[in-house]
């Protein structure tokens, strides 16, 4: 077993725009994060992942970078970032940045130059095709429109996997790749310990994606999803290997890639000598949605399905490398609303959900606010939405004469803005996030759900997350919970989810009853309990609704 520092990390993801405002512009900033480091230290995490903070027109909240070397003024300065890194390090906390290099912003000087001057060297930093007037082909971007955008009134078109303000970079170009490598080194030298790597599976385009002429459509709109032609294409590994050799390995960085990897390529991506430390698995976080005509919609699912997906994911990752269990991030709604029926959301169900993922094999990620049990925002009006993808999808429905209320209903449950509302620190106006009106509404439930309340209460979601983190660090059991093997424990009851972490010293079993009914536990257990999520004492061989426990058997000689 290769012991890397990042295997013992507990990562806390920060969406800087919504974490803490200090300069009274309604937008969170780096000084705000610095001011909350004590809070994070007290929680027990040891790594922070910052969503993008580089200069950006914020068409996609920073996932559209216009200057790779500079911090966006709304967040602060490069010096602020250095201060954050230093102050975090004093508390034993490392900082990861978000690396957004599949695309940049259409405001980036490279793109501006490429548009203005077809002969400039920057034209080949992008994917630009000249045609006799029609888009080169019928590929549909993630925004459900053509992936090709005309440049002005010319016959030149550029390719974008995401919004048209996010032109894809041309990784075939060695000069572009060099620029990216140098930029990564720049941040490493500022003390950045690693990267969460955005949409990295998209960097290599197939020759069909770039060819002129219709491709077989996959929807009524006559278009075909970008996924088929730009995701995980053969040859992508050459580019990634270069990043690994020149940066990741050289500086012992933690890398977590946002990419779905099929089983047969797992070894290459996360194996002992893999391209990344770990990759995010979407199988159980996206199990509640399906795609139709380029749009995502809710789909029904069962606890049994969730259980199977978690087991399959863990078994597959364990064969090859290391996992990155998570429930939430800035693209997901709040997990309690996804996995727990509305009228069963409670302290018990929130913490049961925590236990479910927190002891899986891998580095656990906590998204800001998850540790206090934040919930979805009750979106009713399109005016309250800020996610440009949601706003443009709504508008597309209006334009096509379709009922946009269907989209609105989807956003209420599934929209990305649900997790982007301001962090709820206390019950003062704007929840202690800011003194002025924030860029996105505060969830009205902040009066009940906020950090102050959670800290004051003896029993709270926050304190429970603190306990779970401590258990992973416990001198007795931490080793098994971190490095031990994963083993699914099959049970008859659908809503009883069990798994084990084992090594030569201990056999630790995690039991979670993810339902509002009592669940029977196996009778002959000779284990002692180390964590119980709720107030009611454990009955010998059954779990009450949403009760969850961690039990230990064995002991060191
Ligand atoms: C994935 C990011 O998580 C998401 O927020 C963003 O919109 C896209 N990649 C495009 O960068």
């Amino acid at each position: 077993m290769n012991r890397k520092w990042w295997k013992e990390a507990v990562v806390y993801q920060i969406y800087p725009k919504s974490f803490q405002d200090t300069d009274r512009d309604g937008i969170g900033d780096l000084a705000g994060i610095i001011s909350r480091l004590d809070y994070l230290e007290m929680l027990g995490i040891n790594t922070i992942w910052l969503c993008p903070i580089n200069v950006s027109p914020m068409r996609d909240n920073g996932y559209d970078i216009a200057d790779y070397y500079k911090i966006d003024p709304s967040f602060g300065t490069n010096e602020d970032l250095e201060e954050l890194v230093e102050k975090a390090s004093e508390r034993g906390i490392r900082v990861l940045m978000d690396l957004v290099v599949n695309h940049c912003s259409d405001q980036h000087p490279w793109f501006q130059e490429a548009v203005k001057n077809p002969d400039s060297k920057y034209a080949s930093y992008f994917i630009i095709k000249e045609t006799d007037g029609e888009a080169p082909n019928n590929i549909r971007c993630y925004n459900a429109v053509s992936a090709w955008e005309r440049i002005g009134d010319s016959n030149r078109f550029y390719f974008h996997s995401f919004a048209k303000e996010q032109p894809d970079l041309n990784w075939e170009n060695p000069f572009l790749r060099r620029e990216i490598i140098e930029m990564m080194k720049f941040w490493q030298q500022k003390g950045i310990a690693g990267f969460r790597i955005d949409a990295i599976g998209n960097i290599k385009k197939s020759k069909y994606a770039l060819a002129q002429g219709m491709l077989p459509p996959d929807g009524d709109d006559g278009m075909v999803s970008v996924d088929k032609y730009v995701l995980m294409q053969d040859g992508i590994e050459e580019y990634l290997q270069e990043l690994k050799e020149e940066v990741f390995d050289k500086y012992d960085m933690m890398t977590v890639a946002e990419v779905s990897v099929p089983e047969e390529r797992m070894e290459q991506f996360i194996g002992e000598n893999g391209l990344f430390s770990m990759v995010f698995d979407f199988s159980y976080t996206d199990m509640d949605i399906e795609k139709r005509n380029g749009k995502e919609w809710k789909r029904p699912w069962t606890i049994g399905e969730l259980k199977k997906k978690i087991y399959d994911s863990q078994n597959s990752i364990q064969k090859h490398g290391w996992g990155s269990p998570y429930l939430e991030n800035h693209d997901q709604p709040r997990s309690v609303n996804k996995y727990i029926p509305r009228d069963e959301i409670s302290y018990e169900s929130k913490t049961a959900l925590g236990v479910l993922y927190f002891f899986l094999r891998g580095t656990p990620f906590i998204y800001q606010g998850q540790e206090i049990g934040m919930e979805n925002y009750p979106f009713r009006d399109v005016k309250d939405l800020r996610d440009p993808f949601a706003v443009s999808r709504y508008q597309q429905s209006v334009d096509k004469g379709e009922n946009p209320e269907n989209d609105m209903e989807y956003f209420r449950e599934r929209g990305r803005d649900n997790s982007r509302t301001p962090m709820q620190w206390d019950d003062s106006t704007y929840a202690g996030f800011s003194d002025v009106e924030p860029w996105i509404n505060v969830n009205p439930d902040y009066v009940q759900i906020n950090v102050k309340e959670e800290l004051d209460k003896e029993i709270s979601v926050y304190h429970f997350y603190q306990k779970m983190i401590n258990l992973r660090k416990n001198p007795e059991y931490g080793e098994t919970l971190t490095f031990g093997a994963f083993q699914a424990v099959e049970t008859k009851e659908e809503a009883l989810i069990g798994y084990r972490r084992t090594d030569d010293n201990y056999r630790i079993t995690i039991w979670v009853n993810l339902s509002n009914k009592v669940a029977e536990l196996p009778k002959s257990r000779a284990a002692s309990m180390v964590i119980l999520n709720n107030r009611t004492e454990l009955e010998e061989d059954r779990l009450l609704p949403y009760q969850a426990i961690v039990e230990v058997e064995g002991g060191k000689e």
Side-chain angles (χ1 to χ4, degrees):
M1 160 73 64
N2 194 345
R3 296 181 77 101
K4 290 283 196 180
W5 66 265
W6 38 261
K7 293 188 177 171
E8 289 172 78
V10 175
V11 183
Y12 188 88
Q13 182 191 351
I14 294 183
Y15 200 65
K17 208 169 170 178
S18 298
F19 194 61
Q20 177 69 67
D21 177 24
T22 57
D23 59 358
R24 310 186 78 245
D25 59 359
I27 294 174
D29 42 55
L30 292 176
I33 300 174
I34 294 171
S35 75
R36 295 295 184 179
L37 282 173
D38 287 343
Y39 167 81
L40 296 175
E41 184 182 14
M42 194 164 70
L43 178 61
I45 59 95
N46 55 16
T47 308
I48 294 172
W49 148 29
L50 299 173
C51 276
I53 47 175
N54 300 80
V55 169
S56 164
M58 301 287 164
R59 177 61 182 72
D60 189 14
N61 286 347
Y63 284 95
D64 47 331
I65 294 178
D67 186 341
Y68 281 106
Y69 287 90
K70 230 175 132 198
I71 301 305
D72 192 86
S74 67
F75 296 132
T77 61
N78 287 26
E79 289 67 43
D80 291 338
L81 180 67
E82 287 181 54
E83 186 184 333
L84 169 60
V85 170
E86 196 186 309
K87 298 230 163 107
S89 155
E90 286 163 13
R91 292 165 170 83
I93 298 176
R94 293 177 162 97
V95 179
L96 312 178
M97 275 177 105
D98 216 307
L99 186 70
V100 189
V101 288
N102 171 67
H103 46 268
C104 63
S105 159
D106 63 350
Q107 303 303 307
H108 194 293
W110 295 341
F111 189 70
Q112 296 282 311
E113 194 52 38
V115 163
K116 248 195 295 164
N117 180 3
D119 299 324
S120 119
K121 71 169 188 175
Y122 295 113
S124 56
Y125 276 32
F126 297 91
I127 300 164
I128 300 179
K129 296 268 164 207
E130 182 140 27
T131 70
D132 51 10
E134 294 294 315
N137 54 40
N138 53 336
I139 292 189
R140 181 200 307 115
C141 77
Y142 295 119
N143 229 1
V145 296
S146 170
W148 294 97
E149 182 71 14
R150 189 190 292 275
I151 300 183
D153 51 12
S154 74
N155 280 344
R156 295 167 73 222
F157 292 81
Y158 68 88
F159 186 87
H160 56 93
S161 295
F162 294 87
K164 68 177 177 3
E165 294 84 358
Q166 293 164 295
D168 280 37
L169 290 162
N170 176 18
W171 278 70
E172 305 285 331
N173 183 341
F175 295 106
L176 180 268
R177 300 205 298 273
R178 182 52 41 201
E179 298 257 20
I180 289 171
I181 286 169
E182 291 309 317
M183 176 270 288
M184 288 160 67
K185 286 185 180 166
F186 172 85
W187 291 113
Q188 188 280 328
Q189 277 147 29
K190 300 266 178 249
I192 293 301
F195 297 105
R196 175 269 185 187
I197 311 175
D198 187 67
I200 197 69
N202 292 54
I203 60 174
K204 172 97 189 176
K205 291 15 174 189
S206 83
K207 64 176 196 277
Y208 303 105
L210 310 181
Q212 217 162 321
M214 283 281 283
L215 294 161
D218 65 4
D220 306 340
D221 57 1
M223 291 196 270
V224 56
S225 162
V226 68
D227 276 351
K228 186 161 178 204
Y229 298 100
V230 309
L231 253 189
M232 291 291 282
Q233 299 298 312
D234 289 339
I236 187 174
E237 52 280 352
E238 282 163 40
Y239 305 152
L240 300 177
Q241 187 64 30
E242 209 175 331
L243 303 184
K244 174 180 160 67
E245 280 167 21
E246 298 234 17
V247 193
F248 306 155
D249 280 0
K250 227 180 231 171
Y251 306 106
D252 193 22
M253 293 187 117
M254 166 171 170
T255 54
V256 47
E258 191 210 19
V259 58
S260 279
V261 180
E263 176 76 45
E264 63 280 9
R265 291 176 87 174
M266 278 287 210
E267 191 59 37
Q268 185 179 42
F269 274 68
I270 57 164
E272 189 79 359
N273 200 22
L275 295 163
F276 301 112
S277 315
M278 58 196 95
V279 297
F280 283 126
D281 174 16
F282 301 89
S283 64
Y284 54 93
T285 44
D286 277 351
M287 64 179 289
D288 61 325
I289 51 172
E290 62 187 0
K291 262 196 178 165
R292 273 177 271 132
N293 275 338
K295 283 189 192 178
E296 284 167 352
W297 297 100
K298 290 279 293 176
R299 67 174 284 275
W301 57 275
T302 61
I303 303 274
E305 208 182 325
L306 170 66
K307 173 154 73 169
K308 181 168 181 333
K309 283 192 188 289
I310 292 178
Y311 290 168
D312 288 351
S313 158
Q314 284 277 295
N315 284 327
S316 146
I317 292 171
Q318 169 159 265
K319 258 191 260 158
H320 307 281
W322 198 246
S324 58
Y326 70 99
L327 291 177
E328 296 181 13
N329 62 39
H330 63 292
D331 293 332
Q332 294 282 339
R334 291 295 179 178
S335 53
V336 290
N337 298 83
K338 184 196 297 178
Y339 296 113
I340 313 286
R342 181 73 254 172
D343 53 357
E344 291 170 26
I345 293 180
S346 63
Y347 162 79
E348 279 77 16
S349 56
K350 287 177 181 180
T351 49
L353 203 51
V355 176
L356 175 62
Y357 94 106
F358 208 75
F359 301 105
L360 293 171
R361 191 169 174 280
T363 299
F365 284 67
I366 302 170
Y367 178 73
Q368 68 181 47
Q370 181 188 327
E371 79 281 15
I372 56 165
M374 277 179 67
E375 298 178 15
N376 280 353
Y377 184 94
F379 288 107
R380 296 272 154 228
D381 194 326
V382 63
K383 283 197 219 69
D384 292 333
L385 295 177
R386 291 290 173 275
D387 178 5
F389 282 81
V391 174
S392 91
R393 170 169 163 175
Y394 185 95
Q395 193 52 45
Q396 281 175 33
S397 292
V398 173
D399 295 346
K400 286 192 206 151
E402 292 166 2
N403 183 2
E405 280 317 301
N406 295 334
D407 301 283
M408 213 46 218
E409 197 185 314
Y410 175 79
F411 300 141
R412 217 165 8 254
E413 285 187 64
R414 244 304 176 164
R416 308 196 296 178
D417 284 329
N418 279 307
S419 56
R420 298 177 179 186
T421 61
M423 180 70 183
Q424 294 165 198
W425 295 104
D426 57 40
D427 62 0
S428 65
T429 322
Y430 308 128
F433 163 72
S434 178
D435 295 342
V436 300
E437 194 179 344
W439 70 279
I440 184 170
N441 288 348
V442 175
N443 192 320
D445 67 12
Y446 77 94
V447 186
Q448 300 89 42
I449 302 177
N450 62 62
V451 168
K452 186 168 178 303
E453 272 283 314
E454 289 282 305
L455 294 180
D456 287 351
K457 276 194 281 196
E458 201 189 319
I459 295 177
S460 69
V461 181
Y462 178 90
H463 289 312
F464 191 74
Y465 265 83
Q466 215 174 22
K467 251 196 207 164
M468 290 199 296
I469 297 172
N470 273 330
L471 188 58
R472 286 189 73 106
K473 293 195 224 158
N474 179 295
E476 274 294 306
Y477 314 124
E479 174 78 14
T480 315
L481 284 172
T482 306
F483 296 103
F486 168 89
Q487 192 194 336
V489 183
E490 305 284 351
T491 55
K492 279 194 300 299
E493 291 187 55
E494 189 191 32
L496 178 63
I497 308 184
Y499 63 88
R500 287 209 166 100
R501 303 297 309 279
T502 59
D503 62 11
D504 292 345
N505 295 315
Y506 292 106
R507 187 162 95 141
I508 303 185
T509 311
I510 289 86
W511 294 109
V512 179
N513 177 7
L514 209 63
S515 80
N516 64 354
K517 299 195 183 55
V518 169
E520 302 300 320
L521 285 171
K523 292 219 162 31
S524 53
R525 296 165 10 256
S528 49
M529 187 180 66
V530 286
I531 265 201
L532 164 70
N533 74 322
N534 65 0
R535 294 160 250 237
T536 321
E537 260 183 49
L538 181 68
E539 296 179 22
E540 211 177 291
D541 41 26
R542 50 189 225 147
L543 286 180
L544 297 176
Y546 293 109
Q547 206 169 28
I549 54 169
V550 176
E551 298 184 319
V552 178
E553 289 166 77
K556 287 181 189 161
E557 292 296 297

